[in-house]
């Protein structure tokens, strides 16, 4: 899976891309993440990417020129990718939606918004989907883009290093969300709080039954 992230804050992605599962997945070559700095596409002499809204009102709006040029350039490298605009007004991201993106596409272009929004002509001409990660307003689309990249990447075969993702899929289909049983690790007694005896007994059928009964 290849992600192209379009942002005016490329530095925000450094830590995120260089840790944990995403680092490993990129190392294995199953996930490829490329960051594109929208500001570099600005033809303004001060590299401006925003301006005041026509008709008045609060806040600033992304101007069309840097976004058109950036998206058109990235589309040359990601010819099969839909352009996804992260915005609180978009369709809410769910696990089913994440699975759909993972199954249907091998490349995704993620556009991180800012200010009051982006010029509508960008949405009309170039954006294929608008996605929100929840009903709250963040200061930009960068964290939502990270959420989407993380959720989709862990479903890419080979990214997690086991077959967990397939298991998860059937969970999601049946229940609408993943159900979990309680997990315990060492020590068996922590400050007097004890691990259930059955989990330490080694009777696999009993453990299986206990776990089934404690799904939540
Ligand atoms: N940009 C700002 N808030 C957002 C949200 N909740 N989801 C996606 N993009 C956003």
């Amino acid at each position: 899976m290849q992600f192209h992230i379009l942002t005016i804050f490329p530095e925000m992605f450094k830590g995120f891309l260089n840790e944990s599962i995403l680092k490993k997945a990129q190392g294995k070559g199953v996930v490829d993440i490329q960051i594109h700095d929208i500001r570099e596409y600005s033809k303004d002499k001060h590299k401006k990417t925003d301006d005041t809204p026509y008709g008045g009102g609060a806040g600033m709006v992304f101007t069309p020129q840097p976004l058109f040029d950036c998206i058109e350039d990235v589309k040359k490298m990601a010819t099969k990718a839909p352009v996804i605009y992260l915005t609180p007004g978009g369709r809410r991201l769910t696990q089913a939606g994440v699975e759909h993106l993972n199954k249907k596409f091998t490349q995704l272009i993620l556009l991180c918004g800012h200010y009051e929004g982006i010029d509508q002509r960008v949405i009309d001409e170039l954006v294929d989907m608008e996605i929100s990660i929840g009903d709250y307003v963040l200061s930009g689309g960068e964290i939502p883009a990270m959420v989407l990249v993380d959720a989709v990447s862990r479903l890419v075969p080979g990214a997690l290093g086991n077959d967990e993702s397939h298991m998860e899929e059937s969970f999601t289909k049946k229940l609408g969300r993943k159900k979990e049983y309680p997990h315990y690790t060492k020590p068996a007694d922590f400050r007097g709080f004890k691990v259930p005896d059955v989990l330490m007994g080694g009777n696999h059928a009993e453990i299986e039954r206990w776990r089934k009964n404690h799904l939540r």
Side-chain angles (χ1 to χ4, degrees), residues 17 19 22 53 72 75 85 87 130 132-133 136 167 191-193 202:
L17 296 182
E19 301 290 342
L22 282 178
E72 283 168 355
K75 272 175 159 260
Y85 171 41
T87 168
E130 295 181 58
S132 162
I133 62 159
Y136 38 81
M167 211 165 76
R191 297 185 181 178
F193 306 120

Side-chain angles (χ1 to χ4, degrees), residues 42-156:
S42 173
K43 289 184 175 144
D44 177 80
K45 60 177 180 293
H46 304 296
K47 297 275 170 206
K48 230 168 82 120
T49 53
D50 63 331
D51 216 323
T52 51
Y54 276 122
M60 299 293 270
V61 177
F62 256 112
T63 55
Q65 179 275 315
L67 291 179
F68 264 77
D69 285 355
C70 181
I71 294 170
E72 283 168 355
D73 197 37
V74 170
K75 272 175 159 260
K76 287 180 207 152
M77 318 173 215
T79 51
K80 292 166 283 180
V83 176
I84 300 173
Y85 171 41
L86 284 313
T87 168
R91 187 171 166 182
R92 176 94 64 88
L93 188 67
T94 60
Q95 187 62 27
V98 168
E99 283 168 13
H100 175 76
L101 291 173
N102 172 59
K103 270 208 197 101
K104 185 158 178 205
F105 302 105
T106 55
Q107 299 176 313
L108 298 173
I109 297 173
L110 307 180
L111 171 58
C112 305
H114 266 275
Y115 319 121
E116 280 304 299
I118 68 178
D119 191 287
Q120 184 62 31
R121 289 164 290 186
V122 178
I123 297 172
D124 293 344
E125 303 304 321
L126 295 171
V127 167
D128 299 299
M129 282 175 232
E130 295 181 58
I131 290 181
S132 162
I133 62 159
D135 289 341
Y136 38 81
V137 181
L138 300 167
S139 56
E142 281 75 13
I143 292 171
M146 292 182 208
V147 167
L148 196 153
V149 167
D150 188 292
V152 173
S153 291
R154 53 188 298 290
L155 298 184
V156 172

Side-chain angles (χ1 to χ4, degrees), residues 184-190 193-200:
Y184 294 91
T185 184
K186 287 152 200 93
D189 182 335
F190 177 71
F193 306 120
K194 304 217 170 56
V195 172
D197 285 337
V198 57
L199 298 180
M200 296 187 297

